[in-house]
């Protein structure tokens, strides 16, 4: 699952930390850690990832630095308090992490860099959201900032639904701003995972989603490498990644999600951290990307210091795993909010494989508001 995948990231990051001569301390309340990897770190604190617990550990251990890019959105959200408390964040700085996470500021950066993105506006209240939606035109994607798994993201088609959605976000996520995006109907989606060392960018992998844009990336089946995108589209995604990662002052990992419609490439969002596809790509290509990224975050090595050889015959498919049988009352329709509980990897020789052909045939069946 997502927790297990990020546990994979943590474990391989810890191995790199220890290789660099540091004592590695992990804070992780994932039961999978205790059952399989309890002895990888020099010290393991099996504690909830809440500031109240974390700050006591940090005050006791007084670490040289803290890595937040290997713990998913949960760890990333603690970066502000870590910096305010005087702890050094190794890798991408809090300022850059916050820029990528703040939907409005990030869209402003894309505008500065002349990188295409869906039309958008940022709302502080329901009236402003209605005004922005009228300018952008329905359907729109409503997104709060700083959330995990697409929490409370919705595709809405009219004023009544928009007002209800926005008021719910402000009620349950007070102090959060809401981004109103133009929703690109029937667009394809793809994502790039990369490592940036401040000077150079290495593209780890480009995955093409089978389901259309609008289904959360965690719920989409995805193919590595791409299978239907044109060469010009792939080249454009690489060009944007090489421009955007340094602009965000990325030091370590970054995941960028794209929507493609009529051969035009749009940036949906960027996450300067290990994504759920980072370990997938590392396993598929047989490259220790988490080790490499961690050494870059520590500042000990540059990308030019590594020899990277990818080994993949055919294609690798990320297959989401759902647990609907255990939660019979949960809405099974897919949309922008994540519902999968894990993923599996499936290797195929070519695109004539029956499993892939069945997935591709059903690609448009799963998108709902």
């Amino acid at each position: 699952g997502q927790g297990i995948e990020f546990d994979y990231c943590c474990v391989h990051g810890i191995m790199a930390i220890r290789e660099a001569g540091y004592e590695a301390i992990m804070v992780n309340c994932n039961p999978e850690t205790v059952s399989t990897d309890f002895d990888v770190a020099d010290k393991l604190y099996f504690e909830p990832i809440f500031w109240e617990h974390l700050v006591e550990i940090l005050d006791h251990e007084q670490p040289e630095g803290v890595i937040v890019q290997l713990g998913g959105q949960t760890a990333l959200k603690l970066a502000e308090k870590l910096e305010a408390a005087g702890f050094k964040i190794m890798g991408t700085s809090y300022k850059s992490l916050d820029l990528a996470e703040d939907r409005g500021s990030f869209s402003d950066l894309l505008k500065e860099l002349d990188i295409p993105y869906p039309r958008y506006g940022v709302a502080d209240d329901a009236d402003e959201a209605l005004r922005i939606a009228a300018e952008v035109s329905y359907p729109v994607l409503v997104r709060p900032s700083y959330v995990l798994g697409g929490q409370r993201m919705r595709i809405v088609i009219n004023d009544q639904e928009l007002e209800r959605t926005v008021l719910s976000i402000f009620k349950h996520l007070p102090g959060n701003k809401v981004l109103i995006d133009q929703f690109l109907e029937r667009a394809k989606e793809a994502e790039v995972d990369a490592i940036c060392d401040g000077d150079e960018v290495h593209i780890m992998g480009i995955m093409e989603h089978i389901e259309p844009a609008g289904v959360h990336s965690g719920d989409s089946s995805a193919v590595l490498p791409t299978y239907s995108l044109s060469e010009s589209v792939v080249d454009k995604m690489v060009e944007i990644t090489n421009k955007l990662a340094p602009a965000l002052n990325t030091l370590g990992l970054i995941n960028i999600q794209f929507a493609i419609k009529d051969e035009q490439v749009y940036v949906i969002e960027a996450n300067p951290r290990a994504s759920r596809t980072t370990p997938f790509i590392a396993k598929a290509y047989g490259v220790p990307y988490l080790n490499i990224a961690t050494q870059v975050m520590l500042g000990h090595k540059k990308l030019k210091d590594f020899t990277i050889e990818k080994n993949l015959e055919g294609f690798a498919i990320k297959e989401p795993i759902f647990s609907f049988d255990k939660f019979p009352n949960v809405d099974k329709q897919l949309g922008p909010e994540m519902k999968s509980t894990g993923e599996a990897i499936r290797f195929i020789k070519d695109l004539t494989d029956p499993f892939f052909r069945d997935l591709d045939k059903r690609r448009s069946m799963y998108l709902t508001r």
Side-chain angles (χ1 to χ4, degrees), residues 249-271:
N249 295 311
T250 305
L251 188 60
L253 295 156
I254 186 168
N255 170 270
I256 305 175
Q257 296 182 13
F258 299 89
I260 301 99
K261 186 169 184 179
D262 301 326
E263 291 294 292
Q264 177 70 56
V265 178
Y266 302 87
V267 170
I268 302 173
E269 65 179 9
N271 293 298

Side-chain angles (χ1 to χ4, degrees), residues 222-228 280 284 312-317 345-352 356:
V223 181
L224 178 76
T226 63
Y227 68 96
S228 73
F280 178 93
L312 174 62
E313 293 184 7
F315 298 84
I317 300 177
I345 186 169
R346 183 185 293 260
F347 294 97
I348 61 172
K349 291 182 179 179
D350 53 51
L351 300 180
T352 64
F356 166 77

Side-chain angles (χ1 to χ4, degrees), residues 66-90:
V66 182
I67 291 178
V68 298
Q69 287 176 265
L70 302 179
Q73 194 70 26
T74 301
L76 221 59
K77 289 170 72 172
L78 293 167
E80 181 178 12
K81 290 183 177 180
L82 285 167
E83 181 168 273
F87 296 102
K88 178 184 177 181
I89 296 176
M90 290 180 161

